[in-house]
Amino acid sequence: MTSECYPLVKTGGLADVAGALPLALQPLGVDTKVLLPAYPGVRDQLTGARKLATLPDLFGGPGGLVSGTTADGLHVLLVDAPHLFARKTGGPYLGPDGLDWPDNHLRFAALSWVGAQIALGEVGTWRPDVVHLHDWQTALTAAYLHTAKAPAPPSLLTIHNLAFQGVFPMALADTLRLPKTAFDYDGLEYWGNLSFLKAGVQWCDRLTTVSPTYAREILTHDQGMGFDGLLRARANTLTGIVNGIDEAVWNPATDPYLASPYSARRLPSKAFDKAALQVELGLHVRTDVPLFCVISRLTTQKGLDLLLDAMPALHARGAQLAVLGNGDAAIQDEFMRLAETHPGQVATTIGYHEPLSHRFQAGADAIIVPSRFEPCGLTQLYGLRYGTLPVVARVGGLADTVIDANEAALRDGVATGFQFSPVDAVQLGMAIDRACTLFADTLAWQRVQKRAMTREVGWGIAAGAYLDQYERLISRR
Ligand code: ADP
């Protein structure tokens, strides 16, 4: 169950995972159905869409359950509730004013409630052996299953980002179709408010998050974001599984968005993508300086204010920077200003552009990910696949997926990028400087690129690890 799923609807990494994991599980013999809201345009992307059930009272209006299949063969169930999800403007979570939809508690309670009804056999004819919840938007399912009279299938919650907790005023408790006891201290109550995520953390049979390092970090007071006590109490059910990437969508040899396809064996062709990107963005067309890129939500989590402070290090080496992102107005403005004051050297594109993000990955030499915390991170994995070396903060999934190009790693041929710690502008500047130095040694740089591009980043390992979680849950029953 998820609130977004690539290619139907995407705002970030959760969609990539929700779309790719079920496909990776299919060859392992797992029959998966993905439940998500019928946002505008989603149903039109399915083949064989048909109504499975009518739901006359779906948190303020009538709705239904629709099934269909994506072009990739993903089996999808949609919660069709026009009063909650069919909005002409805005996105899955935010209205056109950039603020949360005021009825998000009802929208994601409805999604969670329908998931629970399916799991309990009350809606439709298909019942899952395991219910897999993703993030707070579906975590309330655990509350509906926990308080149900009928026996419920086991459940697993994957936390993609502990910063998003689905916190709402306690005054809304009455609207959620749960008994009063569900809002106690050992239920949804969260520092005087209520938290949807807490339902999942409290009542799911198992918990996973998206990297082993993040799984350890969230048990600490510093990074537990108020949940560390609860998570420590459930630590024996918590596992970190690094996300894979969809290797069909992210493959520089077949990527339809690129000017020139390439692979580890045909690395020189990547230079055409660099030149094409430089032309597209109005940067000076140069091969002798590295082109760094950023593809990111522009928020303090992503540490891009640190990059603004570290720019002197990048300028000192004559390097170029291309930024693609959207988010906080202040950070957007700073990067726009930077592009204006450094024409030909810095280019900023504000917005969300999937095809352009592919051209960034192909055309840049390195991708900067200076996150203050990063549960897993996907852009550094795409960077590895595209031979675009990641320059990353040593936190969470970034620490688990990039091997720093220190002396020993370079000598042993295992380096795949650059890590820095502690996460501040000085250390980021030094990592950028180290990347520039390695870039100047073309052969050494290419060795690291080839190593990065041949690293295993697909879903194979993760899909096996999730299957192991499902089997444990089923065998316990
Ligand atoms: P998060 O989910 O925290 O935003 P991830 O690194 O896990 O970060 O995933 C981000 C995903 O969103 C990646 O697929 C990345 O390519 C994509 N992305 C982020 N910003 C943009 C953008 N402005 N345009 C296109 N794709 C973007």
Side-chain angles (χ1 to χ4, degrees):
M1 293 178 53
T2 179
S3 55
E4 52 183 280
C5 179
Y6 181 87
L8 302 170
V9 50
K10 169 173 167 178
T11 72
L14 168 61
D16 289 342
V17 175
L21 175 60
L23 293 176
L25 286 164
Q26 274 176 10
L28 305 182
V30 183
D31 169 24
T32 320
K33 293 193 198 300
V34 181
L35 179 74
L36 79 157
Y39 304 112
V42 168
R43 184 180 174 149
D44 301 339
Q45 296 176 61
L46 302 182
T47 51
R50 68 189 177 95
K51 193 169 189 174
L52 287 186
T54 299
L55 302 162
D57 179 15
L58 209 43
F59 292 77
L65 185 67
V66 170
S67 81
T69 308
T70 66
D72 295 331
L74 196 68
H75 300 298
V76 173
L77 296 172
L78 299 180
V79 178
D80 184 19
H83 61 293
L84 298 175
F85 300 121
R87 302 198 169 156
K88 289 194 180 69
T89 54
Y93 316 117
L94 308 179
D97 52 5
L99 302 175
D100 289 341
W101 290 112
D103 58 350
N104 269 351
H105 60 294
L106 296 179
R107 299 170 74 235
F108 295 109
L111 173 64
S112 301
W113 183 83
V114 173
Q117 299 309 302
I118 295 170
L120 293 165
E122 299 289 334
V123 172
T125 51
W126 178 84
R127 278 191 79 179
D129 296 320
V130 173
V131 182
H132 189 166
L133 311 178
H134 293 274
D135 276 353
W136 73 265
Q137 294 90 340
T138 60
L140 209 56
T141 304
Y144 296 119
L145 295 179
H146 179 76
T147 55
K149 302 223 164 42
S155 57
L156 169 72
L157 170 72
T158 297
I159 300 169
H160 295 262
N161 191 336
L162 193 58
F164 303 120
Q165 305 180 342
V167 175
F168 298 99
M170 190 52 96
L172 298 175
D174 288 349
T175 63
L176 300 179
R177 297 189 183 171
L178 284 164
K180 279 209 162 25
T181 51
F183 299 96
D184 289 348
Y185 169 76
D186 56 3
L188 270 70
E189 192 278 335
Y190 187 63
W191 309 106
N193 290 313
L194 60 88
S195 157
F196 281 23
L197 185 70
K198 193 177 168 206
V201 171
Q202 192 87 300
W203 290 318
C204 277
D205 299 288
R206 290 198 69 79
L207 307 174
T208 65
T209 186
V210 287
S211 68
T213 296
Y214 192 59
R216 285 193 299 277
E217 288 169 349
I218 59 178
L219 301 181
T220 66
H221 179 70
D222 276 357
Q223 307 222 37
M225 298 188 163
F227 269 89
D228 48 297
L230 195 53
L231 286 166
R232 278 196 300 276
R234 302 222 53 210
N236 61 343
T237 67
L238 174 66
T239 308
I241 302 173
V242 172
N243 291 329
I245 65 171
D246 186 328
E247 291 178 298
V249 175
W250 295 95
N251 180 355
T254 56
D255 192 327
Y257 300 124
L258 306 193
S260 165
Y262 63 94
S263 62
R265 263 184 269 154
R266 283 184 293 131
L267 208 43
S269 298
K270 184 171 162 68
F272 295 111
D273 289 298
K274 179 172 178 177
L277 185 64
Q278 286 168 324
V279 170
E280 181 173 0
L281 300 178
L283 294 169
H284 300 308
V285 180
R286 290 180 60 174
T287 54
D288 59 325
V289 293
L291 168 55
F292 291 87
C293 79
V294 167
I295 305 164
S296 182
R297 291 187 286 121
L298 302 180
T299 64
T300 45
Q301 177 204 330
K302 298 293 181 178
L304 292 164
D305 49 319
L306 303 177
L307 177 57
L308 288 164
D309 292 340
M311 283 308 287
L314 198 141
H315 290 318
R317 301 296 297 258
Q320 297 179 335
L321 175 68
V323 176
L324 169 61
N326 55 5
D328 292 354
I331 304 178
Q332 288 186 180
D333 291 348
E334 288 290 331
F335 278 110
M336 291 298 284
R337 208 176 357 259
L338 201 62
E340 278 163 26
T341 53
H342 295 80
Q345 256 195 307
V346 177
T348 299
T349 310
I350 300 299
Y352 192 95
H353 300 287
E354 192 74 24
L356 188 56
S357 75
H358 286 242
R359 291 199 289 279
F360 266 54
Q361 289 283 4
D365 297 297
I367 180 162
I368 301 177
V369 194
S371 308
R372 290 192 163 83
F373 67 93
E374 191 59 77
C376 178
L378 292 173
T379 56
Q380 85 281 10
L381 298 177
Y382 302 145
L384 292 172
R385 192 96 206 284
Y386 280 62
T388 303
L389 302 187
V391 179
V392 302
R394 190 178 298 140
V395 297
L398 301 173
D400 291 335
T401 55
V402 175
I403 299 178
D404 182 62
N406 58 39
E407 282 296 316
L410 283 172
R411 215 175 19 247
D412 291 350
V414 294
T416 57
F418 306 87
Q419 291 193 346
F420 63 93
S421 174
V423 186
D424 61 32
V426 173
Q427 295 300 323
L428 170 57
M430 286 165 70
I432 289 171
D433 191 63
R434 283 199 294 133
C436 291
T437 300
L438 191 71
F439 181 81
D441 182 346
T442 307
L443 283 180
W445 182 267
Q446 284 177 354
R447 268 198 298 277
V448 179
Q449 279 182 303
K450 285 183 181 160
R451 175 68 192 133
M453 293 177 81
T454 48
R455 246 204 91 231
E456 170 62 54
V457 286
W459 268 102
I461 295 170
Y466 280 109
L467 178 59
D468 182 53
Q469 296 289 320
Y470 301 158
E471 283 173 342
R472 279 191 205 205
L473 286 168
I474 294 167
S475 67
R476 260 193 10 194
R477 293 277 151 144

